[in-house]
Structure formats: C-alpha cells, structure tokens
Amino acid sequence: MEAVTETMVRLPALVPPPTDLPPRAAALRGEVRAFLAQERAAGAWTPRADVWLSGWDERFTRELGSRGWLGMTIPVEYGGHGASPLDRYVVTEELLAAGAPVAAHWVADRQIGPTLMRFGTEAQRQRFLPGIAKGEVYFGIGMSEPDAGSDLAAVRTRAVQVSGGWELTGTKVWTSGAHHAHAFFALARSAPRDEQNRHAGLSQFIVELDSPGVQIRPIPLLTGAHHFNEVVFDGVFVPDDMVLGEIGAGWRQVTSELAFERSGPERFLSTFPLLTALVGELLANGSTPHRELGGLVSRLWTLRRMSLAVAGSLESGEAPELAAAVVKDLGTRYENEVIDVARLLVATPPDPGAEGGYARLLADAVLHAPGFTLRGGTNEVLRGIVARGLGLR
Amino acid sequence: MNDPVNDSVNAELQELAESVFADARGAGTGFDAELWKTLDDTGLARLTLPGDAGGSEGTFSDAAVVLAAAGAHAARVPLVETDLLAGWLLHSAGIAVPAGPLTAVAGELEVAGTGVRGELRRVPWARAAAGVVVLTAGHVVLLGPERLTVTDGANLAEEPRDTAVVQGEVAPTAVAALPGGAAEEFRLRAAFGRAQLLAGAARGALAASVRYAGERVQFGRPIGRFQAVQQQLALAAAEVASASAAASAAAAAVTAGGFTAAASRFAVAAAKARTGEAAGAVARIAHQVHGAIGFTREHDLRLTTTRLWAWRDEDGSDAEWNAEIGAAALAAGPDGLWPMVTGSP
Ligand SMILES: Cc1cc2nc3c(=O)[nH]c(=O)nc-3n(C[C@H](O)[C@H](O)[C@H](O)COP(=O)(O)OP(=O)(O)OC[C@H]3O[C@@H](n4cnc5c(N)ncnc54)[C@H](O)[C@@H]3O)c2cc1C
C-alpha cells in the first residue's frame, strides 16, 4: 500500500491550478463582441466551422490589426501592444466562438510573433513584427515533409552553407496557406544526420515565399478546397540574416514553437459554431434532449478551464508540456463529439452547398474533422508525450 | 492568474492531507475512528466551518485539496457530510454544532413542534454519526443517535448508506426553521464535495495503474512498455486531468462567489457531471491494465474503483446534472450559449 502512495506523490501534476482572467478582460471581451456583432449585422462574413484553417479574409484580419487585436503580446517598440497572453486568449476565443475568418493571421499571430521575440534578431523583429501586428504580414509553417510527419526529426530538406548564406533544397508538404503567405519558418537539415543524436544538425530559416527557386503547388483537401500546399525548394538562397536563432538549435526551437500550438482555444472550438447552430435547431424543433446537450456544454466548460490553466501557467514561465498535450487530445476529440451528438439529436442532413446555417456547418465540420486529430501532432503522438510524463517511457 | 502565495499554501495543505490519509489507508470496512481523531486534531475535520462552529475557516479550494486526498486514499470518514453539509446547515440554522462525526440528509420528516417522525433512506454513515442533521421541507432538525433506529445499508463501495427511523421528541434547541435558499445550497454542496472526492479517487486509480504497469512483467518486459498500454493510460490520465480541472475550477468559483452566484451553480453542476463521466472511463482502464488480480477482493484497486462507481451516481448523477445544464443552455439560446460557457454575459 505504501508503494502506491509513493506513486501518487510522484505522479506529475496533470493540470496546472485554475487561472482566473484578470478583471480588465471583461471590458476587452465586450469590445470584441461589439465589433463581431457589428460585422455580422453588416453581413461581412458567415460563421463557419474550422475557421482557423479555412477562413482566409485579409480585410477582416486588417480590421483586427487596426483595433490592436493582433500581435497583442508583442512589445510596443515592435508595433505590438505589450499585452499579456491572457488578453490574447480572450480575443482569440471570442473570434473562434463566433466562427469569424481568422486564418490569414492565425499562424503569424499565434506562433511567429512569440518565436521571433524569443529567437529572432533585432533586424528580423523590426522587419516582420510591425506587419504581423497590423494584420498585413502572413506566415505559414514549414515543418512537415513527405517522409517526415510525426517523425519530424526525419526532415530531409538540406541547407548547405554558401557565401553569405545558405542554400535550401527539398520539399515541404501540408503547408497551410502557403499560397497566400509571405514567408514561413523552414526546418531543414544543416548538418548530416547522426543516428546517435537525431535531433542534432537541424536549423530553422525564414524563407520568403516569393524567393527565386520556391515553387508552391496546391494539394486540394478531400473537399477540393485549396488550403494545403506543397512547397518545393530548388537551391533557394537564404541570406545569413534570415537564419532563425542558432544553426543546429532547430529542434529545440521547433519544440518551443509547438508549445504555443497545443493548448489554445482552437483545439476545442473548431466545431463550436455547429454547437451554437444545434441549439437553434433544437429550439426550432421543440426538442429537449437536455442530457446530451448538457454533456457537450459541461465538457466544453471543463476544456476551457484546462486550457486557461495551461495559458496561465505558460504566462508564469512554466512549460506544462503534459497538460498541453492532454488539452489537445481531449479537445480535438471533443470537436468530433459535437458532430456525433448533433447527428444524434437532429435529423437535418449536412448540405455543403448551403450558404450557412446548421446544414452547412455540419457539412464543413464532418468534412474537416479528420484534420482535427492530426494537425500539430497526432493524438497518438500526444499520448506518447503523456505516457512519457507518467514515467512509462 | 496563478497565484504563487495561494499555490504554496495549497502545496503545504496537500502534503499534510496526503500524509494523514496515506497513513490511514487500508482495506478495512466501516468508520475509521483513528483517522477521524487525527482529522479532528489537525483541524481538517471541520475545515471550512467558521471558528465559532469549531471550524478552521479554510476556503473551498482548501477543502478541494483535502477531499481529493481523501478520495485518492479511500478514506473511511464522513468528511463532506460533517464539514460541508451537517456543520454548515446547523450553523446557518442557528443550532449548536455537536462534536464528533456528523452526517446530513434531505428527507421527509413530519415535524410538529418538537415532535418528529419519519424514515430517512440512504443516510451516509448514519450508524457512525454523533448527529444526523435532516433538511426537511421547512425545518432543520438535529437528531442524536439515541433518537434513531438504524438499519445498515451500503453503496457499491461498501460505505454506509443506512436507513434511519425516527419517532419521538427532540430538544427545542435541536429544531429550527429552514433558512432561505438552504435546500438549494445543500444540493450544490453535496455535489461539490462528491466531485472533489471523485477527482481524488480517479487520481488514486490512475496512480495504482501506472505503478502496476511498471511492475507487471509479460513477454519479458513491464507491460507499461507496450504502446497499447501506454495509450490506454494516457487516455485515463486525460480523464483524470479533466476531472481535476473541473473540480478545482468549481472550487475556485465557489471560493470567489459562494454557492449562490450563478457562475458557481454552473461550475458545480459541470464539475459533478464531468467527474462522474470521467469515473467510469478511469475505472474501466484501471481494471483493464490490472488484469485479473485487480478483479479480486484481495487487491486494493477496488477501493478506488468501487468508489468511482458509487460516487458518480450519488448527489446527482452526471446525467442529472448534465440535464440541468442542457436545460439552461436551451433557455439561453444560440446567442446565450457562449456567454454561459465563459461566465461573461
Ligand atoms: C489540416 C492540417 C493542416 C496542417 N498544416 C501544416 C502546416 O501548415 N505545416 C506543416 O508543416 N504541417 C502541417 N500539417 C501536417 C501535420 O503536422 C502532420 O499531418 C502530422 O504531423 C502527422 O504527420 P503525417 O500526416 O505524416 O502522419 P504520420 O506521421 O504518417 O502518421 C500516420 C498515423 O500513424 C500514427 N503514428 C505515427 N507515428 C506513430 C508512433 N510513433 N506511435 C503511434 N502512432 C504513430 C499517427 O498517429 C497517425 O495516426 C497539417 C496537417 C493537417 C491535417
């Protein structure tokens, strides 16, 4: 019995303590809601599911920039607003819950800004951060390759040192938004592979996507929509001042970049607009499946509290890797569950041709669902991280 | 924001609670009088009660820490009943709080002056209590053991859930009018306490499973080395994390706004629902990982898993609490749903 007690004490904290939003958050939330109501009243866009992948709307993004709602955590001297990650949390969760088109700035705002603040040079910050905060500069993520998915360290894109910089040759895939974006961080092998230390010899480069030698080809999603791309480098020159961080430190940098990716509200709100429409549908039909609906609401509330706890702990300088993986595993499964419960409760079939409303939201949610549990590290890989945290591997 | 001062106070309390409950852990049945004495001596038995009711004036977040440890170690004491329910109800009705372990139940007693009669069902720990506090339609009544005829009953975890018959007179100081709002708060407090215990028991079952997976060897290696087992334990860990998050978020809400604030009512309902749902998933995986040995009386896994099964249906099942939340969500309508989830109208 004593032994079990020891294990209990040694089990890691699976979730950080609860985080309360600062009192000023209420006013900020009110402003964002008022703006969204105004946009909706003007018919500027229709609420959609999975907007952070598919809702590319540069006008909307610039509107957010002009209101100070992009690059919020970037310091003022770089055009940002020096706000806390919790302020950014409030803004992003409101936008996602409303199904607003946030894809254009999503990557730049979520991870490029913070990563440049962490690893970028002064010149790189000056060059990109003000445009990110204005909603005028868009970024992609150049990690995955045909033979490097979950096993990211297997990337083969080669970076060879040449006079004044590096030459990149290789292929990136699944690059969301590369056909619109200005640049991305490419993870490449800058030193030959060492089987004893697979994570060594990797580096990150800021590649401007209009550089000579960059070819971008669409990879249509199963719906036929164009979000994914293949990005081919054929001897693309990257000057020394566009190396991100340190040569050889790519793995450490990428891992810290992924920390921003894992536990935010986008990991459980991709289908929230469908849940909202479901409530409308139930009211219209006069049906009262309280238990099933309540289950979705209590689980959502819990996920949000967990995600906020991780955000609060990130803000105090901790890196709760295990908790972040748990939020993403549970949250992305929850996004699928909303679809399952909606189908259980309402007989309306999905209609991909509808302008908006329940049938269209259901169609988009069903067709996008496979991506929820793959992007940003598959759920199986996340559970591997949790198992390591538990001391099992 | 995370609060470093409160976090460290909580860490100390957690250590104290861990050691107190771990020392007492064992497979016995019935009331653990020795543990109760320690809880009394350390002030944990009446943690949230005010000083003038013999309490330690702790917060509900403190209570969450202590109850989670009690659940994890399958403590055999009426902690929720004494502190969160009976003590609070007596104190708010203006009845002196007696010493010793107490219990409380909402029931239909006929009360006429000081004359009381009726039958109370599934009273937690009635056979061990120094006083049974009854919340009736219009009164709070304190019954000493001498007024009760108790017939033993039990829940799935063999915890006492007794039938108590009462007929006779009580002292005038043992009856009071039911304070306004007390019935609703009683229900919320019971669910709150149960949710904390559930979160703890879930963690206890996970800890036992992780440990067992590291010890049990098959095919020449510990079963925890197999990815299939790792993935199952990671799923269990996610359920435990989510149960703990819900329970502690409810504790934070109640600490901030008491039980009557709308946000607290929602948080308690959601926490009991979520911990109740997690209970089944965690117990299932814990037993699967333990194989046949965990299915025996000899093995201690049952102490947490049977509690998970019992407690998820007590003080409102997940289905019942989710039904309340669902009704509120429909009443809020499409535009009110998100404000409801964020607690910001
Ligand atoms: C919508 C979407 C957007 C994306 N956007 C981008 C982007 O902008 N930039 C970018 O770089 N990448 C992007 N990706 C790629 C994404 O990061 C990869 O899909 C992901 O890392 C998984 O790699 P894979 O698809 O090659 O699958 P694989 O790694 O081949 O995995 C296939 C299956 O095997 C399982 N598996 C693999 N290894 C293990 C293991 N060790 N243990 C157990 N199971 C395992 C996986 O869980 C999965 O079920 C995007 C993906 C999607 C779906």
Side-chain angles (χ1 to χ4, degrees), chain A residues 114-297:
Chain A
T115 303
L116 283 173
M117 282 312 301
R118 207 146 166 206
F119 302 115
T121 63
E122 182 60 23
Q124 290 166 354
R125 294 176 185 173
Q126 297 283 3
R127 169 137 183 213
F128 296 109
L129 294 177
I132 289 176
K134 279 196 194 129
E136 291 172 355
V137 171
Y138 314 128
F139 268 81
I141 303 173
M143 296 190 192
S144 305
E145 296 187 5
D147 292 322
S150 299
D151 185 10
L152 187 57
V155 292
R156 285 192 191 161
T157 293
R158 260 184 313 126
V160 176
Q161 193 154 26
V162 294
S163 158
W166 296 77
E167 214 172 71
L168 266 58
T169 303
T171 301
K172 293 291 171 186
V173 286
W174 326 130
T175 323
S176 308
H179 53 309
H180 298 301
H182 299 100
F184 69 8
F185 294 169
L187 181 68
R189 187 151 276 297
S190 51
R193 195 166 148 149
D194 170 2
E195 283 310 323
Q196 302 311 308
N197 184 3
R198 301 183 65 231
H199 298 157
L202 294 169
S203 304
Q204 279 185 297
F205 300 88
I206 308 176
V207 179
E208 295 188 74
L209 292 168
D210 59 359
S211 308
V214 175
Q215 261 198 55
I216 300 174
R217 301 194 198 107
I219 307 177
L221 297 187
L222 59 77
T223 56
H226 180 191
H227 300 297
F228 269 169
N229 298 275
E230 177 188 52
V231 179
V232 180
F233 308 123
D234 181 10
V236 175
F237 177 72
V238 180
D240 280 326
D241 61 6
M242 285 291 144
V243 170
L244 180 70
E246 274 172 61
I247 288 292
W251 186 259
R252 182 172 56 83
Q253 293 173 197
V254 153
T255 323
S256 100
E257 188 179 329
L258 287 171
F260 295 103
E261 256 207 55
R262 293 237 154 108
S263 58
E266 73 274 28
R267 298 305 181 182
F268 54 89
L269 289 177
S270 300
T271 55
F272 183 76
L274 174 64
L275 179 56
T276 306
L278 173 65
V279 170
E281 243 7 50
L282 294 172
L283 287 172
N285 299 343
S287 59
T288 53
H290 292 153
R291 289 178 177 182
E292 293 82 357
L293 179 63
L296 289 180
V297 176

Side-chain angles (χ1 to χ4, degrees), chain A residues 297-307, chain B residues 242-243 245-246 270 274:
Chain A
V297 176
S298 60
R299 271 163 254 155
L300 174 60
W301 175 83
T302 304
L303 281 163
R304 180 173 178 273
R305 299 306 311 190
M306 291 177 88
S307 165
Chain B
S242 144
R274 182 77 277 273

Side-chain angles (χ1 to χ4, degrees), chain A residues 1-24 26 29 33 40 86 93-94 97 268-269 272 275-283 287-302 304-306 308-316 318 322 326 329-330 333 379-384 386-387 390-393, chain B residues 1-3 7 18 22 25-26 72-73 200 203-211 213-215 224-225 227 229-250 252-253 256 263 266-271 273-274 277 300 303 317 319-335 337-345:
Chain A
M1 217 54 268
E2 216 168 276
V4 171
T5 304
E6 268 170 39
T7 314
M8 191 116 57
V9 175
R10 267 191 286 112
L11 259 195
L14 298 172
V15 61
T19 288
D20 281 321
L21 289 168
R24 65 175 184 279
R29 190 186 297 285
R33 283 185 186 169
R40 259 191 313 246
L86 293 176
E93 70 170 349
E94 288 296 325
F268 54 89
L269 289 177
F272 183 76
L275 179 56
T276 306
L278 173 65
V279 170
E281 243 7 50
L282 294 172
L283 287 172
S287 59
T288 53
H290 292 153
R291 289 178 177 182
E292 293 82 357
L293 179 63
L296 289 180
V297 176
S298 60
R299 271 163 254 155
L300 174 60
W301 175 83
T302 304
R304 180 173 178 273
R305 299 306 311 190
M306 291 177 88
L308 271 170
V310 175
S313 144
L314 280 171
E315 172 159 280
S316 31
E318 286 155 56
L322 194 159
V326 163
D329 182 16
L330 283 173
R333 282 189 280 138
N379 288 39
E380 290 72 23
V381 166
L382 295 169
R383 285 173 215 151
V386 174
L390 293 175
L392 293 166
R393 52 185 287 255
Chain B
M1 249 153 291
N2 295 335
D3 176 343
D7 288 355
E18 270 301 322
R25 187 171 169 131
H73 294 285
R203 190 172 167 85
L206 174 67
S209 305
V210 168
R211 175 183 170 78
E215 282 176 349
R225 296 271 162 229
Q227 201 190 38
V229 175
Q230 292 175 357
Q231 295 267 316
Q232 286 302 307
L233 287 172
L235 288 171
E239 293 297 326
V240 173
S242 144
S244 303
S248 20
F266 178 77
V268 170
R274 182 77 277 273
E277 289 173 347
D300 279 351
L303 298 179
S317 68
E320 289 173 81
W321 285 108
N322 275 332
E324 287 199 21
I325 292 174
L330 278 183
D335 294 335
L337 178 62
W338 179 245
M340 180 179 161
V341 171
T342 53
S344 325

